[in-house]
Amino acid sequence: MTNWQQHTQQTPRNWQMPQQPYPQQPAPLPGPGARDYLVRLTGFGESVPSPREAAALTAAGVVEPRVQGLLVWRRTLLIVITPLLLLAFILSAYQCVVSMTQDISEFMTGLGKLVECLTPVTFLAIPVSALISIGWWTEAGRSTRILFWSWLVATIVPLLTALVPLSWRIDFEKVGAQGYAFDYGYSPDMIQNAEEVQIYSDFASGVMGISSVVSYTVALLPVLVGLVGGVIRGARRTKSVFPSSIVPGWFIIIAGPFYSVILLTVFAIIAPMLGNALLAAGALILSVAPLLNLLFMKNFTKPMSRTEAAPIFTRSSSLSIGASLVGLVLLCIYLFTADISGMDLIGSTSDAESGNAWFSYLNVSQTGVGTIARYFFTTLIMSFLFARLVYREAHEFTHMSTEVREELIEDMQGLRRFAGESTVTRAGAVSVPPSSVPAVSWTNRQSGTNAGPPQYPQ
């Protein structure tokens, strides 16, 4: 046997496959913890993405820390409020089914039944859009558009349905005939006295009209409170993330008094029939809570650094949240202890149907859950709308043409007295580049020149 044959015979016996180490799976990146969720929900602190969230955002091309914080805050809030949104839809749908099985349903017109079921159907768009946005949370543009349009539909539809006249939804002639027949023992088909039936119809229309005012006030409470309250909270969130912008700060100051007026109007409608001192105190405290932002007006309406903004927002949030909690506690005590005209304010569904309670636990639960869900969902929508406004404000100002800049400076110089400022530009004013404005005195400015004041006060 030759040497090469011996070599080929020995090689398979002696040769071994070199050992390759198995590839190590990378350790999973940690996600947000309980403390992160608490900070994001309460607003007491900065929303910092966890390593897992930061990796997902970086992969999606979102690298700016402040935008990352805004997106992880929205994701956290969506995860928390989606169960509330689903619960609000279930309660609303159940209430619709219950109303369809009550005696009053036989007097409803086709339009009335459609209006009754339209609100829960359109509200379903909100939890569906929330679930979609949780999956697409790194895609800010697409998910924001989905959230916005679903919120708009679910907000406008209840307001539009409230404008439908009660006579279009209920056949009062049928109600009057039924009442007349019940009192006189006739069959509704045998009644010939149309004038008597009309009297019963008018009486039923008046009674149901008064009760509908209270019921619609309660039904629209989540929409109104959620809308205006969400605007304020969304503006606060945007101002805390981008404190150098003054746009969200002014919305906080302007929307606060409107929110207080809306709350006072709602309680003023209810108070004469259902109110007492406890309700008045709780309503007054809740209405005053948005006005506490006015104490920080100078801070909210000027550019601030992030270091300056943090303690200010902590103090203002503590005051607003504290006052709101006190007002809510007083209202809850009132709801569960009030006795009006010998009837409990809240009772079981059977008590409400038999006239032993003004509202059922189902009505109150639907209103409370709906208010909280709409409030936080509106906050999400408004925070990103304000973020877009902040960007457009900075973008348009920095890309302003020379002609427009000079006209703006001239306009602001004229508004300086109206704003109550002296002729000396206050600290923090933005100086205009010398090349863009000729060195011509404002008082000696000749017609036809493009001279303007030397600075633009913010």
Side-chain angles (χ1 to χ4, degrees):
M1 182 181 293
T2 61
N3 292 333
W4 68 271
Q5 289 176 328
Q6 293 178 355
H7 180 71
T8 56
Q9 292 177 357
Q10 294 174 359
T11 299
R13 186 171 60 249
N14 300 329
W15 181 81
Q16 294 182 353
M17 176 72 71
Q19 297 295 324
Q20 296 289 340
Y22 288 102
Q24 296 291 330
Q25 294 292 335
L29 296 174
R35 182 182 180 277
D36 297 319
Y37 281 101
L38 183 62
V39 169
R40 296 171 189 177
L41 291 174
T42 59
F44 291 103
E46 187 174 355
S47 299
V48 179
S50 66
R52 186 193 306 167
E53 292 171 329
L57 289 169
T58 303
V62 182
V63 296
E64 207 283 318
R66 309 299 289 183
V67 179
Q68 286 186 345
L70 196 60
L71 286 174
V72 298
W73 166 77
R74 185 177 74 173
R75 176 177 179 266
T76 299
L77 202 55
L78 281 173
I79 292 174
V80 173
I81 69 171
T82 297
L84 283 178
L85 293 171
L86 291 172
L87 179 59
F89 165 72
I90 293 172
L91 291 174
S92 180
Y94 180 74
Q95 180 66 27
C96 178
V97 173
V98 169
S99 64
M100 291 294 104
T101 59
Q102 292 177 345
D103 295 338
I104 190 63
S105 62
E106 64 178 293
F107 304 114
M108 285 186 178
T109 63
L111 179 60
K113 294 179 180 179
L114 175 63
V115 167
E116 190 73 20
C117 298
L118 202 56
T119 298
V121 170
T122 54
F123 186 81
L124 180 61
I126 292 183
V128 170
S129 66
L131 290 172
I132 294 174
S133 298
I134 290 174
W136 292 347
W137 72 279
T138 58
E139 303 179 30
R142 181 163 59 169
S143 60
T144 300
R145 287 191 294 270
I146 293 174
L147 292 172
F148 173 76
W149 288 110
S150 64
W151 167 83
L152 188 64
V153 170
T155 301
I156 290 179
V157 168
L159 298 176
L160 292 179
T161 56
L163 298 176
V164 179
L166 194 62
S167 59
W168 293 8
R169 290 181 287 161
I170 297 178
D171 187 353
F172 286 109
E173 292 185 0
K174 191 175 180 180
V175 175
Q178 185 73 23
Y180 182 85
F182 179 80
D183 286 347
Y184 291 94
Y186 295 124
S187 172
D189 299 330
M190 300 173 58
I191 297 176
Q192 301 294 329
N193 193 339
E195 294 182 357
E196 291 289 338
V197 172
Q198 187 62 40
I199 293 175
Y200 274 78
S201 299
D202 294 340
F203 178 77
S205 176
V207 172
M208 296 183 69
I210 294 174
S211 63
S212 67
V213 171
V214 178
S215 62
Y216 265 96
T217 301
V218 175
L220 293 179
L221 185 63
V223 179
L224 296 176
V225 174
L227 179 61
V228 186
V231 170
I232 297 176
R233 185 173 174 82
R236 286 180 60 88
R237 167 58 60 174
T238 309
K239 178 66 176 179
S240 64
V241 177
F242 306 104
S244 58
S245 175
I246 65 172
V247 172
W250 276 110
F251 269 92
I252 298 172
I253 299 303
I254 294 174
F258 283 99
Y259 191 29
S260 298
V261 170
I262 289 176
L263 290 178
L264 284 175
T265 302
V266 171
F267 288 120
I269 295 174
I270 300 176
M273 292 178 288
L274 307 178
N276 61 10
L278 200 59
L279 174 63
L284 185 61
I285 293 175
L286 277 179
S287 302
V288 169
L291 298 178
L292 297 176
N293 291 317
L294 297 177
L295 299 175
F296 304 89
M297 179 176 177
K298 290 184 178 180
N299 302 108
F300 288 157
T301 57
K302 72 175 184 179
M304 293 187 294
S305 67
R306 294 162 190 169
T307 304
E308 293 175 327
I312 291 172
F313 275 96
T314 299
R315 292 197 299 269
S316 62
S317 297
S318 301
L319 283 176
S320 298
I321 294 175
S324 299
L325 288 177
V326 171
L328 288 174
V329 168
L330 292 178
L331 288 183
C332 288
I333 296 174
Y334 164 77
L335 289 175
F336 289 98
T337 59
D339 186 352
I340 302 169
S341 301
M343 297 168 53
D344 293 332
L345 186 60
I346 303 177
S348 63
T349 303
S350 59
D351 290 338
E353 292 177 354
S354 61
N356 295 323
W358 289 83
F359 301 101
S360 66
Y361 292 114
L362 176 63
N363 298 136
V364 176
S365 300
Q366 179 186 348
T367 302
V369 174
T371 301
I372 296 172
R374 286 182 180 272
Y375 172 76
F376 283 106
F377 195 81
T378 305
T379 299
L380 290 173
I381 302 300
M382 291 301 161
S383 62
F384 277 78
L385 289 180
F386 284 122
R388 185 175 181 84
L389 286 177
V390 169
Y391 168 74
R392 296 307 305 177
E393 173 201 20
H395 179 272
E396 297 300 331
F397 185 79
T398 55
H399 291 76
M400 197 179 297
S401 65
T402 303
E403 180 182 0
V404 174
R405 181 184 291 268
E406 291 175 359
E407 291 179 359
L408 177 63
I409 293 171
E410 180 179 342
D411 295 339
M412 294 304 103
Q413 184 72 14
L415 285 175
R416 178 178 284 169
R417 290 184 179 180
F418 176 78
E421 296 193 13
S422 62
T423 56
V424 179
T425 304
R426 61 188 174 97
V430 178
S431 300
V432 177
S435 59
S436 64
V437 182
V440 180
S441 171
W442 175 254
T443 55
N444 297 327
R445 181 173 180 266
Q446 302 295 324
S447 61
T449 65
N450 291 327
Q455 289 188 337
Y456 162 54
Q458 290 192 343

